[in-house]
Amino acid sequence: MVRALVLLLTHLAAAPVVSERVEIGERNRIDLGTFECRDITRSTVLQRVCYDRARQDLVVVAGGAYDRYCRVTAETVDRLLGAPSMGQFFNRNLRRETAGSRYDCHA
């Protein structure tokens, strides 16, 4: 039993670490290696929330598609995750309707 555990741990230690990369939009790929991701089960709008505090980058999965929001403060993300209705908070405070809006990454 101990031998099997040592063999398994040795095998896992030798395995390469692979970052998760996701498609955002039609041509953008982003590496989630620096993001803290959470699967969301209590929202019908959001399925996943990933946040990089150092870069203030937020990536969400809404309706099965990944989207990225830039310059989002940690306080805003904490309020999103703690909101009674995450979907309502997201739609009112984060979701952009047009290019050049507050959290647009290209603004």
Side-chain angles (χ1 to χ4, degrees):
M1 177 75 170
V2 173
R3 251 187 192 168
L5 182 58
V6 169
L7 183 61
L8 176 63
L9 291 175
T10 302
H11 180 69
L12 288 174
V17 175
V18 178
S19 293
E20 180 181 5
R21 297 178 76 76
V22 297
E23 297 285 332
I24 298 189
E26 293 181 17
R27 295 185 180 152
N28 291 327
R29 290 188 73 137
I30 190 165
D31 185 345
L32 295 178
T34 61
F35 287 73
E36 178 184 330
C37 295
R38 297 179 188 186
D39 292 328
I40 305 299
T41 58
R42 65 178 187 89
S43 174
T44 57
V45 174
L46 300 176
Q47 293 86 48
R48 190 172 192 205
V49 173
C50 299
Y51 186 61
D52 182 327
R53 285 185 184 270
R55 294 189 319 200
Q56 292 189 323
D57 270 357
L58 175 68
V59 173
V60 299
V61 179
Y66 282 87
D67 205 1
R68 181 179 176 200
Y69 297 84
C70 294
R71 297 173 307 282
V72 180
T73 65
E75 178 187 356
T76 301
V77 174
D78 290 341
R79 288 177 47 219
L80 168 67
L81 294 172
S85 171
M86 293 174 73
Q88 283 182 358
F89 183 93
F90 174 73
N91 286 328
R92 287 184 185 150
N93 298 288
L94 292 166
R95 183 173 284 200
R96 59 181 167 263
E97 300 298 326
T98 60
S101 64
R102 181 176 185 183
Y103 298 113
D104 189 358
C105 295
H106 303 291

